[in-house]
Amino acid sequence: MKSKSVKRIGVLTGGGDCPGLNAVIRGVTKPAHDYGMEVFGIEDGFEGLVTGKAKQLYNRDVSGILAVGGTILGSSNKGDPFHWPIQTEKGIKIVNRAELALKNYKGWNLDALIAIGGDGTMHIANKLAGMGMNVVGVPKTIDNDLQATDQTFGHDSAVFVAAEAIDRLHTTASSHHRIMVVEVMGRYAGWIALHAGLAGGADIILIPEFPFDWEMVYQKVTKRNMMGKRFSIVCVAEGAKPKSGKMIVKAVDSKRTDPIQLGGIGEFVSKKIMEATSLETRTTVLGHLQRGGSPTPYDRILSTKFGTFAIELAAKRKFGRMVALKGNEIVSVKIEDAISHQKLVTPETQAVISAKAVGISFGSDEF
Ligand code: F6P
C-alpha cells in the first residue's frame, strides 16, 4: 500500500469552523500513515501556510477527536495569501503573500496539500494550484452553498442545532401565544433556514433566494391567530431580505476573505410583525451555536468518508480536485467546477416544494 511519490502531505482547515473538521483530519491522517506518508498539520488555515506554522501529526494526535467539534489545527478567515492585510501608518493595506505560501510548501517538502474549507478556501486552493501546488479540496461549510457536492459536511450538524432550537421555541411560543422569530446563519444561501424550518415545522421560512413580501408575512401569522393557532414560528436566514429592501449588514471587516458580516434581520422582522399585527413577538439569534459542538452521526460519517477519499486522491496524484458527495457516492470534481457559482435554493428544490405542500409560507407568492 506504499505510495511511491507522495511522501509528505500538508493538511489545513480554512475559513469558519464547523462540526466535522476533526473527523476529516483524522480520516486523512490515519490512512496517510498506512500509505507511508508523513502528515503536516498547518495551523490556523492559510495563515499558517504564509507565516510558516505547522506541526507533524501522528496517529496519537488524531486519536479521540472524531466526535470533537472545532479543529485541532485552528482556522482563520483572515489568512488569504492573495489578500493579506498588513497594518501601515495609513491603515490596513492588502498585499499578496502567495509566494511566501509556496516557499513554505516547498520548504516543508510537501508533495500535496489537503485544504478543508468552504467557498473561500476552494478559491484560494485553486489559485495556489495554478502556482504549482498539488492541492486536494474537502468541502466544508454549515451553509451548504458549494456547487458540485450534494452536501458539505457541517451542514447537518447546524440544521440539527437549529431544528432543536425551533422545537424548544414551539413550546414557549404556544404557552405565551407569541410569534417567535429565529435567525439562523447561511450567508447568501437559505439552506440552513430551509432545512431547519422544514425539520422544526416552522410556519414561515424567509431566505435570501426568495425576497419576501411583508404583507404576506403579516397575513400568515394573522390568519393562524384567527384559526386559533395563537403562535407562529418564523425561521429567517441571516441573508433574507424584503422585496423592497437589502440584506442587513452588521459589520464590514476588510481583513476577512469575505468582508461582509450579516445579522439583524431577525430583530427587524420581529419588530415589523409586532407593529403591523399587534401580536407579541420575540427574537432568538442562534449565531455560532450552529457552528460549535459535536458533529451529528451523519456528519461524522460524511467527514470520515471525505477525509479517507481525499488521501486516496493524493496517493493517486489526482490533484486540483475536490472530494464531493453525489447521491450516495463519494466522487471527485475539479475544484474550479466547485467554485464556478454558488449552490442556492431554487423554487424547484424538493424541500421547498414539500414545505409549501405542508403549508409553510416563504413570504411570497412568486416562488
Ligand atoms: O460560512 C459560515 C458562516 O457561519 C456563515 O453562515 C456566517 O455568515 C459566517 O460564517 C459568520 O462568520 P464569522 O464567524 O466570521 O462571524
Side-chain angles (χ1 to χ4, degrees):
M1 217 175 154
K2 297 249 179 209
S3 159
K4 284 204 176 66
S5 41
V6 176
K7 294 283 176 217
R8 188 181 273 188
I9 58 152
V11 57
L12 63 79
T13 51
D17 70 344
C18 77
L21 285 166
N22 282 328
V24 179
I25 297 168
R26 172 179 173 269
V28 164
T29 306
K30 288 195 169 188
H33 290 144
D34 289 341
Y35 274 112
M37 298 174 190
E38 285 182 315
V39 182
F40 260 58
I42 297 161
E43 293 174 41
D44 300 334
F46 290 106
E47 202 176 298
L49 192 60
V50 172
T51 57
K53 284 186 294 176
K55 58 185 175 198
Q56 191 157 355
L57 291 181
Y58 301 95
N59 280 357
R60 64 170 180 271
D61 297 312
V62 297
S63 171
I65 66 169
L66 170 65
V68 181
T71 160
I72 58 164
L73 297 176
S75 195
S76 168
N77 47 23
K78 292 183 182 163
D80 181 350
F82 300 91
H83 187 93
W84 188 263
I86 53 167
Q87 187 71 45
T88 69
E89 279 175 10
K90 291 180 185 161
I92 303 287
K93 190 178 162 208
I94 304 296
V95 296
N96 189 332
R97 287 282 187 266
E99 284 300 336
L100 214 49
L102 192 60
K103 196 171 156 220
N104 283 325
Y105 172 88
K106 288 182 179 162
W108 289 325
N109 283 324
L110 297 182
D111 299 305
L113 174 70
I114 299 201
I116 310 168
D119 188 43
T121 300
M122 292 308 142
H123 269 96
I124 297 166
N126 197 42
K127 286 201 246 174
L128 291 172
M131 292 173 69
M133 265 190 216
N134 294 329
V135 181
V136 172
V138 180
K140 160 239 75 163
T141 168
I142 61 165
D143 305 338
N144 199 33
D145 59 351
L146 260 181
Q147 194 53 243
T149 183
D150 288 354
Q151 190 148 328
T152 52
F153 76 86
H155 179 65
D156 186 66
S157 303
V159 169
F160 180 83
V161 170
E164 203 209 359
I166 294 175
D167 287 348
R168 289 172 186 272
L169 289 170
H170 254 116
T171 57
T172 174
S174 164
S175 310
H176 286 270
H177 318 298
R178 284 172 172 160
I179 313 300
M180 290 293 192
V181 179
V182 54
E183 180 183 306
V184 300
M185 282 185 165
R187 232 166 29 135
Y188 312 119
W191 296 106
I192 299 177
L194 173 63
H195 289 150
L198 188 56
D203 305 295
I204 302 175
I205 298 174
L206 303 177
I207 59 174
E209 294 89 335
F210 303 166
F212 60 89
D213 188 333
W214 287 114
E215 280 309 318
M216 290 207 59
V217 173
Y218 307 151
Q219 272 171 29
K220 175 78 182 178
V221 293
T222 312
K223 200 168 154 203
R224 276 177 56 81
N225 220 46
M226 277 159 42
M227 283 162 50
K229 295 266 190 187
R230 295 170 60 207
F231 71 93
S232 289
I233 303 286
V234 187
C235 182
V236 191
E238 61 182 356
K241 53 181 183 290
K243 273 181 188 153
S244 50
K246 288 187 182 153
M247 285 183 189
I248 300 186
V249 175
K250 192 173 171 194
V252 179
D253 179 353
S254 63
K255 288 190 234 156
R256 294 162 52 112
T257 308
D258 177 355
I260 304 293
Q261 192 190 347
L262 297 170
I265 184 70
E267 193 53 44
F268 188 46
V269 168
S270 238
K271 193 169 151 268
K272 292 280 283 184
I273 293 176
M274 183 125 90
E275 279 170 8
T277 65
S278 299
L279 295 168
E280 199 179 6
T281 61
R282 291 289 186 272
T283 316
T284 303
V285 180
L286 291 181
H288 292 81
L289 287 174
Q290 296 157 99
R291 293 231 307 254
S294 189
T296 57
Y298 178 89
D299 271 338
R300 293 178 203 184
I301 294 167
L302 185 62
S303 302
T304 304
K305 284 182 181 173
F306 276 176
T308 55
F309 199 86
I311 206 68
E312 278 186 38
L313 288 179
K316 289 177 188 152
R317 300 191 66 86
K318 289 193 173 176
F319 301 123
R321 303 194 70 81
M322 185 189 84
V323 172
L325 177 72
K326 288 279 177 200
N328 285 323
E329 300 294 317
I330 306 294
V331 297
S332 77
V333 295
K334 278 188 190 165
I335 294 180
E336 60 194 44
D337 289 343
I339 56 175
S340 60
H341 59 282
Q342 256 190 322
K343 184 177 72 182
L344 297 174
V345 177
T346 70
E348 290 75 40
T349 300
Q350 184 57 50
V352 171
I353 296 167
S354 299
K356 282 163 67 178
V358 294
I360 298 174
S361 165
F362 286 91
S364 169
D365 49 15
E366 282 178 34
F367 305 102

